[in-house]
Amino acid sequence: MVVVGGGVVGAACAYYAARAGLTVTVIERGAVAGGTTGAGEGNLLVSDKEPGPELELALFSSARWTELAAEDGLGAAFEYETKGGLVVAETEEGAAGLEELAVRQRAAGVDAVAVPASGLPGYEPHLAPDLAGGMFYPQDAQVQPMLAAAHLLRASKAEVRTGVTVTGMLRSGDRVTGVRTDRGDLPAGAVVNAAGTWGGEVAALAGVTVPILPRRGFILVTEPLPSLIRHKVYAAEYVADVASDDEGLESSAVVEGTPSGTILIGASRERVGFDRTLSLPALRRLARQAIRLFPALADVAAIRAYCGFRPYCPDHLPVIGPDPRAEGLLHACGHEGAGIGLAAATGHLLAQSLTGARPDLDLGPFRPDRFPEQP
Amino acid sequence: MRDVVVIGAGPAGLAAAVTAATAGLDVALVDAGRRPGGQYYRHHAAETGALHHGWDAFVRLRDALDRLTYLPGHRVWNVEDGFTVHALAGDRDERPVRIDARTVIVATGAHDRSLPFPGWDLPGVLTAGGAQALLKGDRVTAGERVVVAGTGPFLLPVATGLAGAGATVAGVFEGNRPYGFARRVAGHADKLREAVGYAALLVRYRIPYRTGHAVVAAHGDGRVEAVTVARLDRDGASVRERVIVCDTVAVGYGFTPQLEIPVQLGCATRMDADGSLVVVADAAQRTSVPGVYAAGETTGVGGAQLSLVEGELAGLAAAEALGGIAADPAGVRRLVARRRRLRAFAEAMHRAYPVHPGWMDRLRDDTIVCRCEEVTRGRIAEAAGLGATDPRSAKLLSRAGMGWCQGRVCGYATSWLAASACGRSPGPDDLLGTARRPIAQPVRLRDLADDAPVRPHEVAQDPPVRPRDGAGGRPVRPRDGTLRAGPEGAVRPRDGNHPINPA
């Protein structure tokens, strides 16, 4: 099997496929974790998802990440932290909305603990004192995404070929029988498209359409501090932003500490193509929202900012599974901003599909051919 | 909206700003330092010029600062296209400042290029430039018994300056054997005079000067007590070592241009002969981004004289582009010829004083490479083993360069270690991957959140040097191509009467 893409999703596919007995080669155009994986925060979130196929996938993935972290040295190597997420509301109305969502999430298997305003300081002592309440999600966790991808690849023992670009597909009739690269042909029993934001381009090499587009996000990084923030903390509005179809700038700060002491302030969302130019308006909003949640951050210095491109599909669901339009080609891409969290489940289910096992979850909602063909 | 913002008040920035202002443009000169001059003309409040070459040129420029708005103590952290310069002013009472301008001249200079070696993180080890800054700015010698090492002619003023201020210099250890370069120096009257002066001072202060030698380790309990100095063979490998007792080591392996602002603006870059990433500038010091000029070390490390020339050319070009003020062609020709000569000299210098990759062999697995994040050479090798193929991915997987200094200290070393782990030397793309710093200075979230409008009157209250009678007294920008004096009688460039006379 050949995996196209050395990000976290490709790494998870390689890991589970190799464990299922397949011989795996990973082809990566740049460096391992050099694309969207290297530009994220490492969120493993169930809290931000409405009940439905993505939440089921997230819950299934959360359990797989727990298993992975328990394997010999892996959890420590990629800084797995079951820190939990705290979603806060500014208004009573917002708090009621959180509770309403939590009721439905609980029915789907999510642990959600209502936190009254008086209980918030017990979770986060530095939170603004005037918040209306919150919801704590113990299943939310975090990994260092680059290390997660790199260590899964290492543990897979797959052959990893970096700096190699896929330029075409090998075909036998309609069947995909390998990839053509700038370093020669590579025949394979199956080809997995794990090219993330660039997954549409790889699909096109096989003559099929997978509509994946970039959604830009900026992350602000502060100076290293002694532990100030314990959980992933974000405002209730974040959930609405994730699911939004708006093209303009949206942001709602997700604030969290890291083992190195820096605080990450994430989650602007814009559809501006692959433009890497720093957007000060985006950073200003993130800074304002972070200060709104944690007033003490006002005097903390930002030392870095970076951006990445989330791979999104029109229905905000990933593309996972065999492509009925091109036998031998499977997809594992389009995870938008949840790719780190959903990677473990994606790799696991894809390996089941490759080895003819019955997938633990129905891949129907993630079918590659679910989109209307473009004229 | 000003005509020009010049970023950096070293030789290039001063020359650019004074030239543009003298031509009648409305110029703001923004600088992080408290006094003009940058690193080269860094000086104590009571300076008379004894520690500096070319002090007269500096005094002429400093005396012309009343033709423009000089904003010291302003740290620029971002420049938006169009252009909006975002800076932080003041010390404890730090506040955000925003300046809009039609043109930006980048003259941000360079900082020391450091190489790691075992023990380099001990207190008492500093950069050659750091030792020089203490001496020039604060009149403090970095130590009592100092070893100076690295490569390049810059080690000479550092060693002789320290000795002249009373320190014992236990030796200058030059990594190269630049004999061929001596002939080149002999062909340059200015440079020859400087070199002869340093040679005389080395003799006078009895400073041993050894070529083909390097400091390969520093030793001490809590701070430097001694260094191991090695003779290097032709391949840069240590062949004979000895220990020298000292309390301070000043090490410099050339300079790294500060490219945050031009990289933010998307200016094209290239790799220079010294292995540094520099901004591509054309004959008029224009970068690839319209309205952005670069002068001095940002376009290639070449010293103060070259910076003065490039700054003046940038100022003249901006004046022509913005105000249609044609410069005196003969004066420009002289400047261009001088730039060509100095640029060729700089290139010869880079070729004579290369950094041999042998420094990498002298690192141990536990030698710290990134001091901010305490990343060792071993961790960088591990990152390469995990799939890092370039400096950027090595940084992401090892955290080298992610701390306070954002890779300014370890960037060169990390680039070489990451690339050589893949069997190659770093190229321009590798260097660019670690040069991107969209936030060029740490900025408090409160200042980032504050999108204050431009308040030029507020800006103008602060600086000690500004137009004589406020906004109304600015020189008039000529619109008809002729040269006119502003209301306060700014001198105009005519008949080659440039602020810095190249003759």
Side-chain angles (χ1 to χ4, degrees):
Chain A
M1 172 179 118
V2 164
V3 178
V4 183
V8 72
V9 172
C13 290
Y15 176 85
Y16 284 103
R19 220 175 55 172
L22 300 180
T23 307
V24 182
T25 302
V26 178
I27 305 290
E28 163 58 49
R29 180 169 62 172
V32 163
T36 308
T37 298
E41 297 162 289
N43 286 331
L44 314 181
L45 299 187
V46 296
S47 56
D48 65 337
K49 293 172 181 65
E50 292 273 346
E54 197 193 3
L55 180 58
E56 279 179 55
L57 192 65
L59 283 165
F60 185 72
S61 208
S62 163
R64 301 290 80 71
W65 275 112
T66 306
E67 290 166 7
L68 288 172
E71 284 185 26
D72 192 25
L74 267 188
F78 53 64
E79 299 177 3
Y80 178 71
E81 281 188 282
T82 53
K83 61 192 338 186
L86 183 67
V87 190
V88 296
E90 287 187 38
T91 59
E92 293 302 331
E93 199 183 359
L98 276 183
E99 181 53 40
E100 183 274 329
L101 174 63
V103 167
R104 292 186 291 120
Q105 287 173 322
R106 285 188 197 111
V110 173
D111 296 334
V113 183
V115 182
S118 61
L120 287 174
Y123 282 86
E124 291 290 348
H126 299 283
L127 265 179
D130 58 343
L131 297 167
M135 192 65 64
F136 181 65
Y137 292 88
Q139 288 152 310
D140 283 356
Q142 182 176 0
V143 293
Q144 204 276 28
M146 292 77 85
L147 290 175
H151 282 281
L152 283 177
L153 277 178
R154 170 176 284 182
S156 76
K157 299 192 170 67
E159 184 191 352
V160 181
R161 296 176 61 180
T162 49
V164 178
T165 305
V166 171
T167 56
M169 296 286 164
L170 304 178
R171 305 299 282 253
S172 169
D174 282 344
R175 197 182 153 75
V176 172
T177 58
V179 291
R180 179 152 287 165
T181 79
D182 57 355
R183 304 277 180 86
D185 291 352
L186 204 66
V191 173
V192 175
N193 171 17
T197 313
W198 300 269
E201 294 168 35
V202 172
L205 296 177
V208 295
T209 304
V210 175
I212 295 177
L213 289 167
R215 197 176 186 189
R216 184 172 76 175
F218 279 100
I219 293 177
L220 264 177
V221 187
T222 72
E223 61 190 304
L225 296 171
S227 177
L228 186 74
I229 294 165
R230 302 171 183 171
H231 307 91
K232 285 179 181 288
V233 182
Y234 62 90
E237 295 73 28
Y238 177 76
V239 183
D241 274 1
V242 171
S244 162
D245 282 321
D246 200 332
E247 284 192 10
L249 170 64
E250 297 161 29
S251 74
S252 41
V254 177
V255 185
E256 63 189 295
T258 65
S260 60
T262 54
I263 292 169
L264 305 183
I265 301 164
S268 66
R269 289 164 189 274
E270 284 168 285
R271 294 188 196 159
V272 290
F274 287 104
D275 180 2
R276 286 198 170 271
T277 316
L278 185 82
S279 158
L280 281 189
L283 295 192
R284 288 195 193 291
R285 279 175 66 154
L286 288 176
R288 265 186 232 125
Q289 289 164 341
I291 294 170
R292 170 72 187 99
L293 292 178
F294 293 97
L297 288 179
D299 288 314
V300 171
I303 60 170
R304 186 166 77 240
Y306 56 92
C307 81
F309 301 97
R310 305 176 185 89
Y312 81 92
C313 292
D315 58 3
H316 302 287
L317 290 177
V319 178
I320 305 169
D323 195 324
R325 300 164 297 181
E327 197 188 340
L329 177 68
L330 298 93
H331 301 280
C333 51
H335 294 73
E336 198 156 344
I340 314 297
L342 302 180
T346 302
H348 181 94
L349 296 169
L350 208 74
Q352 288 181 321
S353 168
L354 272 163
T355 52
R358 189 188 150 83
D360 290 331
L361 272 188
D362 174 22
L363 289 177
F366 312 117
R367 283 175 63 96
D369 59 343
R370 68 182 188 268
F371 307 99
E373 282 297 324
Q374 277 156 358
Chain B
M1 172 77 69
R2 293 185 184 274
D3 293 329
V4 181
V5 168
V6 179
I7 304 173
L14 280 171
V18 170
T19 303
T22 304
L25 298 186
D26 175 16
V27 177
L29 172 60
V30 182
D31 188 58
R34 277 182 303 182
R35 279 191 277 274
Q39 297 301 328
Y40 187 77
Y41 292 124
R42 181 185 282 277
H43 58 282
H44 191 265
E47 183 62 62
T48 58
L51 280 167
H52 295 82
H53 284 278
W55 186 249
D56 294 350
F58 170 66
V59 169
R60 278 200 299 277
L61 289 168
R62 188 181 59 185
D63 290 348
L65 282 177
D66 60 357
R67 297 172 200 165
L68 50 89
T69 304
Y70 167 52
L71 301 170
H74 281 59
R75 297 173 297 286
V76 175
W77 61 271
N78 186 267
V79 179
E80 284 180 283
D81 199 7
F83 299 92
T84 301
V85 176
H86 297 276
L88 300 164
D91 295 321
R92 286 216 184 103
D93 59 335
E94 188 176 77
R95 65 181 201 286
V97 173
R98 192 181 136 176
I99 307 156
D100 289 339
R102 298 158 72 197
T103 295
V104 173
I105 300 179
V106 177
T108 43
H111 58 76
D112 285 88
R113 186 156 71 182
S114 300
L115 290 181
F117 53 87
W120 78 305
D121 48 333
L122 281 171
V125 180
L126 70 168
T127 61
Q132 186 78 332
L134 282 172
L135 190 63
K136 282 182 177 176
D138 305 303
R139 299 194 165 170
V140 171
T141 56
E144 289 178 11
R145 191 175 159 79
V146 188
V147 164
V148 178
T151 192
F154 179 60
L155 302 182
L156 297 172
V158 174
T160 54
L162 285 167
T168 301
V169 177
V172 177
F173 299 98
E174 163 61 56
N176 286 290
R177 296 178 175 85
Y179 306 125
F181 187 62
R183 278 196 298 280
R184 187 101 201 183
V185 173
H188 255 262
D190 290 357
K191 307 283 185 190
L192 181 63
R193 207 173 311 123
E194 260 186 72
V196 169
Y198 289 133
L201 287 171
L202 289 176
V203 172
R204 177 167 151 200
Y205 297 122
R206 298 168 195 278
I207 302 172
Y209 179 78
R210 302 277 175 269
T211 57
H213 280 70
V215 165
V216 297
H219 319 281
D221 185 8
R223 68 163 289 127
V224 171
E225 293 161 10
V227 291
T228 299
V229 169
R231 194 179 132 76
L232 306 176
D233 67 14
R234 298 261 163 229
D235 300 320
S238 314
V239 284
R240 207 168 50 238
E241 300 189 343
R242 66 189 159 112
V243 172
I244 295 177
V245 173
C246 61
D247 58 31
T248 302
V249 196
V251 199
Y253 282 91
F255 299 90
T256 299
Q258 307 205 122
L259 299 193
E260 287 82 359
I261 303 305
V263 169
Q264 281 175 5
L265 287 166
C267 299
T269 53
R270 65 180 177 86
M271 198 159 128
D272 202 15
D274 62 349
S276 286
L277 196 71
V278 300
V279 180
V280 175
D282 70 4
Q285 304 299 137
R286 284 183 296 234
T287 70
S288 64
V289 175
V292 181
Y293 298 73
E297 312 292 47
T298 53
T299 68
V301 171
Q305 291 169 321
L306 178 57
S307 295
L308 288 167
V309 173
E310 288 195 353
E312 190 168 352
L313 282 166
L316 290 174
E320 180 154 12
L322 283 171
I325 309 155
D328 165 50
V332 170
R333 270 199 304 277
R334 274 200 300 277
L335 286 168
V336 167
R338 188 164 161 76
R339 178 178 59 190
R340 193 183 314 118
R341 257 198 337 275
L342 289 166
R343 196 43 87 195
F345 184 84
E347 186 166 333
M349 181 185 74
H350 294 321
R351 305 227 176 271
Y353 295 94
V355 176
H356 289 286
W359 64 268
M360 288 185 279
D361 303 330
R362 299 195 279 271
L363 304 186
R364 299 190 310 242
D365 253 9
D366 65 350
T367 304
I368 298 275
V369 175
C370 165
R371 297 205 256 199
C372 301
E373 293 289 318
E374 297 187 346
V375 179
T376 60
R377 189 232 159 92
R379 289 246 311 273
I380 292 174
E382 200 180 299
L386 282 169
T389 56
D390 54 32
R392 178 177 166 266
S393 48
K395 165 178 144 180
L396 293 176
L397 287 170
S398 73
R399 299 198 60 77
M402 281 206 185
W404 256 111
C405 89
Q406 288 292 294
R408 287 175 179 87
V409 175
C410 67
Y412 179 82
T414 307
S415 296
W416 269 88
L417 290 167
S420 69
C422 305
R424 59 193 182 87
S425 43
D429 289 344
D430 294 308
L431 299 176
L432 188 59
T434 55
R436 283 207 176 84
R437 295 184 192 99
I439 297 179
Q441 299 279 339
V443 51
R444 289 183 306 186
L445 291 180
R446 95 163 58 245
D447 296 334
L448 184 52
D450 173 23
D451 191 11
V454 190
R455 283 165 298 194
H457 56 283
E458 235 174 73
V459 170
Q461 279 167 10
D462 198 43
V465 183
R466 60 195 171 96
R468 263 169 233 154
D469 52 20
R474 285 194 270 107
V476 173
R477 190 168 52 75
R479 295 184 193 282
D480 55 5
T482 61
L483 295 169
R484 284 181 282 140
E488 92 271 36
V491 184
R492 302 141 300 161
R494 182 172 281 170
D495 307 326
N497 181 22
H498 299 300
I500 318 113
N501 190 345

